Amino acid sequence: MADSPDPSFKPALLVIDMQEDFCPPNGTLPVPDARSITPLINTLLALPTLPLKIATQDWHPPAHISFASNHSAPHNTPFTSTTTITNPLNPAESYTTRLWPVHCVAHTPGAALLPELHTAHLTHTIQKGTDPRVEMYSAFYPPLHSPRMSDSGLAALLHGEGITHVYVVGLAGDYCVRSTAEDAVREGFVAYVVEEGTRPVDGTGWEGCKREMEERGVKVVREGGREVGRLFGRVEGSG
Ligand code: VGL
Ligand code: ZN
């Protein structure tokens, strides 16, 4: 096939938080069956049709606000307690978020990318969740917008490269993958979550989670579908 790049299709792969702490058997916040998605992600990482292949790492300081252990009893039970986070720059803006076990502390083995992930294909690695004052699921920015208090630089990177479509895979489907894909839509990209390339923390809520993502403009696609097929040259086309 002749090389005729289509300016309306310049895709990026976003590999979210494929880290030891999110995986059995040793992770502190293990997502069920998380390691099984790595072969598909490695297949996508090897494709020459993706000019940007970006991995993220959840990368928290020990004092991170999302760790239940950094809160006082009785509101410090991992998975069930919540906390309210206020914009340090605007006391009127806040959101409530779930508390977690200690996970992905910067520079610890639990924060490492899985050794079986083919990281040599990555063009960039972005670390997020580094500010102890805010929870940040999205790879773009925390959910505090007035004013925005920090930004990973991902939006500028994607826009600067002329990316049109993002394919989002990794962990966890119902948290960081979801928030990243929804922010990608807000940033004007066509955003696909590849279903076989992710796993949720809460399996029971996954169908509803996918519906909500779709309501916000994300497309949940299948490995065998036309959107992924486009990366393999299996289908031509628009969309
Ligand atoms: C995540 C919970 C806490 C994720 C990160 O990567 O989905 N989930 N921190
Ligand atoms: Zn985290």
Side-chain angles (χ1 to χ4, degrees), residues 74-93:
H75 306 292
N76 62 351
T77 309
F79 297 106
T80 52
S81 295
T82 58
T83 192
T84 297
I85 297 177
T86 301
N87 190 333
L89 307 173
N90 174 9
E93 189 184 25

Side-chain angles (χ1 to χ4, degrees), residues 58 60 66 103 135:
D58 212 31
H60 298 314
S66 79
H103 64 277
E135 175 64 297

Side-chain angles (χ1 to χ4, degrees), residues 6 40-41 55 61 63-64 91 95 106 118 129 173 175 186 199 202 206:
D6 172 358
L40 171 58
I41 295 175
H64 197 252
Y95 65 104
H118 294 170
Y175 286 91
R186 261 179 224 121
R199 290 287 183 276
D202 295 316
W206 182 232

Side-chain angles (χ1 to χ4, degrees), residues 2-52:
D3 192 32
S4 54
D6 172 358
S8 69
F9 184 66
K10 190 170 180 189
L13 181 67
L14 304 183
V15 180
I16 305 299
D17 297 2
M18 288 298 288
Q19 292 165 275
E20 289 290 354
D21 269 343
F22 293 125
C23 293
N26 297 320
T28 59
L29 204 176
V31 176
D33 196 33
R35 292 192 112 85
S36 73
I37 64 178
T38 316
L40 171 58
I41 295 175
N42 282 338
T43 299
L44 297 173
L45 278 169
L47 290 175
T49 47
L50 287 151
L52 283 188

Side-chain angles (χ1 to χ4, degrees), residues 92-113:
E93 189 184 25
S94 67
Y95 65 104
T96 297
T97 187
R98 197 173 179 186
L99 295 180
W100 303 105
V102 174
H103 64 277
C104 298
V105 174
H107 306 290
T108 63
L113 294 173

